[in-house]
């Protein structure tokens, strides 16, 4: 179910890279981590995924993410024939494996955030100092 010919070519040439992109996409990561806890209805999952960091996922984007993960065999969609319609999403065994890996990476980033922030400050400080020296050199050359 590739969206474009380019997508079909990419899938044929490097299928594992495409799955990696799906699993590690902005919303794919959050969906997988949330579904590790329990199954969700669509609207519950949308609230749970959008609740972190002040960002909200659109219905369209969540639908696309769930369809992609379902196609990859990571998410199970259970549509119950009732009125009003009820659809529950849960992880497959393969999805649980992927979600546990993603959760471990998320925990690692959380645990190392102080070191990442220190590295960012050092980088930004060095880049800022470099710009200041360049600007000073430009001013001196214009003055001469």
């Amino acid at each position: 179910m590739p969206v474009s010919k380019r997508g079909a070519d990419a899938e044929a040439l490097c299928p594992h890279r495409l799955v990696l992109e799906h699993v590690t996409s902005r919303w794919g990561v959050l969906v997988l981590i949330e579904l590790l806890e329990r199954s969700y209805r669509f609207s519950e999952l949308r609230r749970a995924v959008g609740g972190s960091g002040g960002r909200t996922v659109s219905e369209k984007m969540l639908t696309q993410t769930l369809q992609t993960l379902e196609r990859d065999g990571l998410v199970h969609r259970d549509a119950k024939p009732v009125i009003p319609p009820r659809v529950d999403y849960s992880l497959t065994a393969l999805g649980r494996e992927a979600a546990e890996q993603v959760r471990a990476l998320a925990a690692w980033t959380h645990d190392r955030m102080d070191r990442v922030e220190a590295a960012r400050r050092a980088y930004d400080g060095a880049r800022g100092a470099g710009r200041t020296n360049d600007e000073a050199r430009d001013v001196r050359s214009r003055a001469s």
Side-chain angles (χ1 to χ4, degrees):
M1 171 161 125
V3 177
S4 67
K5 185 177 180 334
R6 191 173 137 232
D9 291 344
E11 187 172 353
L13 293 174
C14 202
H16 68 278
R17 180 177 284 180
L18 219 53
V19 174
L20 183 62
E21 287 177 18
H22 299 162
V23 168
T24 60
S25 70
R26 170 190 244 177
W27 302 114
V29 167
L30 298 175
V31 165
L32 290 171
I33 290 172
E34 284 299 328
L35 289 176
L36 261 173
E37 302 305 317
R38 63 180 180 90
S39 65
Y40 281 88
R41 294 180 72 177
F42 183 87
S43 57
E44 291 177 313
L45 185 58
R46 185 169 181 231
R47 282 190 299 274
V49 166
S52 56
R55 295 184 176 144
T56 58
V57 59
S58 69
E59 286 187 24
K60 179 181 177 184
M61 193 70 242
L62 182 56
T63 298
Q64 288 175 346
T65 300
L66 287 165
Q67 287 173 345
T68 299
L69 294 173
E70 182 182 8
R71 181 172 183 252
D72 288 343
L74 305 177
V75 168
H76 174 72
R77 181 180 185 273
D78 182 22
K80 303 214 184 335
V82 296
I83 297 178
R86 180 183 172 106
V87 179
D88 292 306
Y89 295 91
S90 60
L91 292 175
T92 63
L94 188 62
R96 183 162 292 285
E97 286 179 46
E100 287 169 354
Q101 297 297 318
V102 169
R103 183 172 60 183
L105 180 59
W108 179 87
T109 59
H110 181 267
D111 294 345
R112 303 301 186 281
M113 204 57 217
D114 57 337
R115 292 170 62 185
V116 169
E117 288 171 346
R120 287 176 176 173
R121 283 190 301 275
Y123 178 87
D124 292 346
R127 299 282 293 179
R131 271 189 245 118
T132 303
N133 291 337
D134 292 342
E135 290 168 1
R137 187 173 48 248
D138 289 345
V139 168
R140 282 193 304 268
S141 68
R142 277 188 245 132
S144 24

